Amino acid sequence: MIALGCDHGGYDLKVEVIKYLEEKNIPYKDFGCEGHESVDYPEYARKVANAIVDGQCDKGILICGTGIGISIAANKVKGIRCALCSDCFSAEATREHNNANILALGGRVVGPGLAIKIVDTFLNTEFSNDERHIRRINLIEE
């Protein structure tokens, strides 16, 4: 299950991501927000991050205006590796090398077409299980 969260700056892109997930029959849980009214992104980052750490969801997608603030907030939660990606190469690399469990997107940075390609890449790329990447992730977790 995919955990979704956004602030007002990411709401429109979250709607597009939901359409993609529904078309692909990918289960998700939407932790908000629900519109364009100004909200505080750390609340939604925390909800999504905690859903992953608690085992309710496998991966997450967070969206704010730039993706920067919401990714910083998510990475404050122990066990979260949230990567801000604006291209497919980064989405693939962060899954293969970092085993990132949350993708962050900037709703004012990437358009919906590219965003969906990034989401698709992130969700369909497996962690490499390479010993050097495991060692590095363990160092991050320490």
Side-chain angles (χ1 to χ4, degrees):
M1 174 149 336
I2 307 301
L4 293 177
C6 70
D7 73 355
H8 53 283
Y11 177 74
D12 290 336
L13 188 55
K14 183 184 78 167
V15 170
E16 296 300 319
V17 170
I18 287 172
K19 288 178 192 174
Y20 162 82
L21 295 173
E22 289 177 347
E23 286 172 7
K24 298 290 184 181
N25 294 313
I26 300 171
Y28 67 91
K29 183 169 183 179
D30 185 356
F31 289 89
C33 78
E34 300 305 324
H36 297 107
E37 185 175 325
S38 182
V39 296
D40 297 322
Y41 60 81
E43 293 179 27
Y44 300 95
R46 190 174 336 150
K47 289 177 184 180
V48 167
N50 286 334
I52 293 166
V53 171
D54 295 344
Q56 295 176 49
C57 297
D58 305 308
K59 294 184 182 113
I61 301 170
L62 289 169
I63 311 167
C64 69
T66 63
I68 298 168
I70 209 161
S71 65
I72 292 170
N75 279 317
K76 295 293 184 181
V77 176
K78 186 169 178 53
I80 293 301
R81 290 174 307 283
C82 180
L84 170 58
C85 297
S86 298
D87 60 84
C88 293
F89 175 78
S90 297
E92 180 178 27
T94 199
R95 286 289 305 130
E96 287 181 350
H97 298 188
N98 311 120
N99 199 16
N101 47 19
I102 299 179
L103 169 66
L105 296 167
R108 297 176 181 144
V109 177
V110 295
L114 176 56
I116 296 308
K117 289 178 184 177
I118 294 168
V119 167
D120 187 69
T121 301
F122 183 84
L123 295 180
N124 291 298
T125 301
E126 296 296 324
F127 177 54
S128 69
N129 276 313
D130 183 281
E131 185 178 311
R132 67 190 163 123
H133 297 310
I134 293 169
R135 182 179 68 247
R136 292 170 185 159
I137 291 168
N138 289 337
L139 288 169
I140 292 169
E141 293 300 317
E142 287 176 11

